[in-house]
Amino acid sequence: MDIVELLILLVGSLAVTGFARAKGLPAPLLVTAVALAVSFVPGLPEIEIDSEVILTVVLPPLLYSAALDVSWQSFRQSIKQIRRLGVFLVIITALAVGLAAYLIIPDMDWPAAILLGAVVAPPDAVSAASIGRKLGLPRRVMTVLSGESLINDAASLTLVRVFTLIAAGTSLTIWQDLGIFALAIGVGFAVGIVLGVAVHWIRMRINDPVVETIMSILLPFVAYVLAEHLSGSGVIAVVTAGLYIGYNSPKEGYATRLQERPLWTSMDVILEGFVFALIGLQLNTVVQDLVESDRSLGQTLTAAAVVLVVVVLVRPLFVFESYVRNRFHGRWVRPLRVRLSRGHPSLRWIRGSAEPKLNWRELTVVSWTGMRGVVTLAAAVAVVADPVEIKAQDTIFIIAFVVTVGTLLLQGLTLPFVIRALKVQDPREGEEDVRSEMRLNQRTTEAAIALLERRRSAWSEQYGPQAVDSVVNRLKARLERQAETFRRDAEEEEDEERNAPMRLRGAQIQDIRRELLDRRREIVLEEREKGNLDEEVMRRVLVTLDAEELAMDSAQASRSRS
């Protein structure tokens, strides 16, 4: 792909993405659909995918950006569910697909079949998360989906690494297989935590938002490449570094946070559009490969359809098996454990730990978010590009492509309907966040007032009592007015909760606030046009208004992503 083709692809995918966002459509699906149609345009040059570019240039920033926005507390509370989906479901899917492929594809041996299973095993949560945020999925569901997407890529790519070696003729014992897994996880975690700690330590001391932001941009690439060079998992390294930086970012300067958020959001949009456009543009190439190959077109497509069905069905079966087992465990096993631990103090360890539980509606949504994407495509290309001959290499790529497009169109297009039909949205969650925000604002304001009184005498000795008293009294009066406003807003919110038959949702209140901000900006510009306002004053006022709107957007994004 030359520079002109790359620019055309980027501009085209961005244009389709912008249209989709403006119309409220799922951008990944629309980009894929448009690219599929464009792939059959006569004379279109063939665009080849470089797996190294996707894995080294595209995947790290996407993973890092997602990790920055994950709530570590929610991630830790849901770690059992995340681990089941991100690791065990990947293994189960690889084995199920491998068995099906081995039985129906004549020229595929067992290692190549498992390799195919590993390639198509990891779901890509990009489109699912974007749909979920738009439709207001509960936070606990978004946490599980986001957490799964952070670790399932590592499990899948490690499986691909192991079975690529086996399919190429390398003999590995079960202990060597486990050693590769352990090395990948251990090295990846170590690299990620060391780089995360080092970058955070530096950013806490330099106080330069531009340099700090550049360090954040470079971190995922350095973490991925270094971990892979040391035979570790680059995905684990990037995710670990992102979780650490995201958790500690409130300790760093506000200017860096304000600068980084729109930067990573923009990178997500352009990279996601680029990858899904690549997926769609490969259709013409795949069809030509099928026509020119010696294999039966019908046989290959039949195998791809069977694998697609297996991929779609394994996830809900696995998810609801855990649900049924947990229901039995909660009804019979856990009460028995509690009784035993009460009667025998030495047996308290058998109680087990609590974690947020998903109901059957939420689990249905989780089971239907199995769309494949970036990692599946990159892994399939890597298998084809491997210089070592592997049985049915082209078949693996074709089936992986069909599964990727099939899941995007089948599950991606129907997921909004599933969410709405099951009424999984939780609008009260956002309302409770608003009330928590009010209470927090009131507490911080009251703490600031108390600090003014405690420090008044020290400041008076340092700067002079007369000047300090004037400033402190003015600041205290301002803070007291803010505290009273927060208190009154909280009381009105509670009264409305008790008495109003209908309440505005958080998004509706945000719309009203935005209209007010827009009107205030109009007044600022009108005063500037009349010559009544200096440009510098205007910019300072606009920064204040922009910061208020940014706070609204950030709070809304944090609630929906966590």
Side-chain angles (χ1 to χ4, degrees):
M1 182 187 304
D2 60 28
I3 187 64
V4 175
E5 294 173 346
L6 176 62
L7 289 175
I8 293 175
L9 184 60
L10 289 174
V11 172
S13 62
L14 182 60
V16 177
T17 299
F19 175 81
R21 290 165 66 92
K23 299 298 182 181
L25 302 173
L29 304 182
L30 186 61
V31 170
T32 303
V34 172
L36 282 171
V38 171
S39 68
F40 288 99
V41 173
L44 186 74
E46 181 178 335
I47 297 179
E48 296 183 358
I49 300 177
D50 188 339
S51 62
E52 287 299 318
V53 171
I54 294 179
L55 291 177
T56 308
V57 178
V58 176
L59 185 61
L62 289 176
L63 287 172
Y64 182 78
S65 176
L68 287 176
D69 287 321
V70 169
S71 166
W72 169 245
Q73 292 176 329
S74 300
F75 183 89
R76 184 176 56 188
Q77 290 173 353
S78 303
I79 189 63
K80 291 183 180 179
Q81 297 163 324
I82 292 170
R83 186 175 63 240
R84 282 195 295 267
L85 294 174
V87 178
F88 296 116
L89 179 55
V90 168
I91 296 173
I92 294 297
T93 303
L95 293 175
V97 170
L99 177 61
Y102 179 74
L103 293 176
I104 63 176
I105 302 177
D107 60 341
M108 184 169 286
D109 57 16
W110 180 242
I114 298 294
L115 176 59
L116 169 62
V119 168
V120 301
D124 184 357
V126 169
S127 52
S130 64
I131 294 172
R133 285 194 296 270
K134 189 179 297 294
L135 296 179
L137 281 180
R139 180 172 299 144
R140 56 186 177 274
V141 178
M142 293 299 298
T143 297
V144 171
L145 293 178
S146 300
E148 177 196 5
S149 70
L150 294 179
I151 64 175
N152 62 8
D153 295 342
S156 172
L157 292 175
T158 305
L159 278 176
V160 169
R161 182 184 302 175
V162 170
F163 280 94
T164 298
L165 293 174
I166 297 175
T170 304
S171 298
L172 296 176
T173 66
I174 185 65
W175 295 110
Q176 289 174 318
D177 295 340
L178 293 176
I180 294 176
F181 271 93
L183 181 65
I185 295 172
V187 171
F189 178 80
V191 169
I193 198 67
V194 168
L195 290 177
V197 170
V199 168
H200 173 64
W201 186 87
I202 296 172
R203 296 197 340 165
M204 287 287 289
R205 286 158 176 78
I206 60 177
N207 194 27
D208 188 334
V210 175
V211 175
E212 293 175 43
T213 302
I214 293 174
M215 292 179 66
S216 180
I217 294 173
L218 293 177
L219 178 56
F221 301 106
V222 174
Y224 187 91
V225 172
L226 180 59
E228 291 290 326
H229 180 72
L230 298 176
S231 300
S233 169
V235 172
I236 292 291
V238 172
V239 169
T240 302
L243 287 173
Y244 185 88
I245 294 295
Y247 182 77
N248 289 283
S249 64
K251 304 174 185 177
E252 300 171 356
Y254 77 95
T256 302
R257 292 193 299 274
L258 292 178
Q259 191 164 274
E260 283 184 344
R261 178 174 292 277
L263 172 67
W264 284 113
T265 302
S266 301
M267 289 186 66
D268 287 345
V269 170
I270 192 66
L271 291 177
E272 290 165 9
F274 171 73
V275 170
F276 285 107
L278 279 180
I279 293 174
L281 288 174
Q282 293 306 299
L283 180 59
N284 193 17
T285 302
V286 171
V287 171
Q288 290 179 3
D289 290 342
L290 279 174
V291 172
E292 296 173 0
S293 66
D294 296 332
R295 298 182 305 277
S296 167
L297 177 61
Q299 182 183 21
T300 303
L301 292 179
T302 300
V306 171
V307 171
L308 175 60
V309 171
V310 172
V311 166
V312 170
L313 291 181
V314 165
R315 186 175 178 90
L317 290 175
F318 181 87
V319 168
F320 280 99
E321 182 276 333
S322 300
Y323 175 71
V324 173
R325 177 165 44 82
N326 287 335
R327 286 290 297 269
F328 173 79
H329 183 275
R331 185 170 182 178
W332 301 103
V333 178
R334 188 174 294 115
L336 176 62
R337 286 182 170 181
V338 171
R339 288 197 296 271
L340 287 173
S341 64
R342 287 173 179 171
H344 302 276
S346 61
L347 299 178
R348 286 177 182 169
W349 58 272
I350 67 176
R351 280 176 179 260
S353 59
E355 63 174 332
K357 300 298 181 183
L358 306 183
N359 58 45
W360 70 268
R361 291 183 178 86
E362 294 166 343
L363 288 173
T364 301
V365 171
V366 170
S367 69
W368 201 242
T369 55
M371 294 83 83
R372 270 55 180 177
V374 178
V375 174
T376 293
L377 183 68
V381 174
V383 170
V384 174
D386 197 304
V388 180
E389 185 67 26
I390 297 174
K391 287 188 176 181
Q393 282 176 309
D394 294 336
T395 303
I396 290 175
F397 174 77
I398 293 169
I399 293 178
F401 178 83
V402 172
V403 169
T404 300
V405 175
T407 53
L408 281 172
L409 298 179
L410 174 63
Q411 295 177 311
L413 290 177
T414 57
L415 182 59
F417 171 78
V418 172
I419 294 174
R420 293 191 184 99
L422 295 177
K423 299 180 179 179
V424 182
Q425 301 98 322
D426 189 2
R428 295 183 62 85
E429 190 173 78
E431 296 164 2
E432 177 57 34
D433 287 345
V434 172
R435 289 191 288 271
S436 298
E437 184 179 341
M438 291 178 180
R439 291 192 294 267
L440 181 60
N441 284 330
Q442 185 175 357
R443 288 191 60 188
T444 57
T445 306
E446 292 171 351
I449 294 173
L451 177 64
L452 282 175
E453 292 300 330
R454 287 201 310 270
R455 294 283 292 160
R456 182 192 291 265
S457 59
W459 288 330
S460 296
E461 294 178 2
Q462 185 175 0
Y463 303 116
Q466 188 173 0
V468 168
D469 285 342
S470 174
V471 172
V472 168
N473 290 336
R474 187 170 68 251
L475 292 175
K476 183 179 179 181
R478 183 185 302 171
L479 290 170
E480 287 175 342
R481 287 195 299 270
Q482 292 177 355
E484 177 63 21
T485 300
F486 294 140
R487 184 190 62 78
R488 189 165 54 250
D489 288 346
E491 291 177 353
E492 291 175 356
E493 188 79 14
E494 292 175 1
D495 291 339
E496 188 179 359
E497 174 74 21
R498 287 192 300 266
N499 303 322
M502 295 183 60
R503 303 182 69 247
L504 292 180
R505 293 184 177 182
Q508 295 168 328
I509 297 174
Q510 299 286 56
D511 290 341
I512 294 174
R513 292 177 64 185
R514 290 183 202 282
E515 285 193 34
L516 297 177
L517 286 172
D518 290 341
R519 181 53 186 157
R520 292 166 69 184
R521 289 192 183 96
E522 290 176 3
I523 295 298
V524 171
L525 295 179
E526 288 174 5
E527 290 297 309
R528 194 271 306 269
E529 296 301 326
K530 293 178 181 177
N532 300 333
L533 189 62
D534 184 79
E535 286 278 348
E536 289 298 323
V537 177
M538 180 200 71
R539 291 193 184 99
R540 286 199 296 269
V541 174
L542 286 179
V543 166
T544 302
L545 298 178
D546 293 344
E548 184 176 346
E549 187 164 9
L550 177 61
M552 293 166 50
D553 292 339
S554 299
Q556 183 178 357
S558 298
R559 287 194 296 268
S560 60
R561 292 190 178 191
S562 59

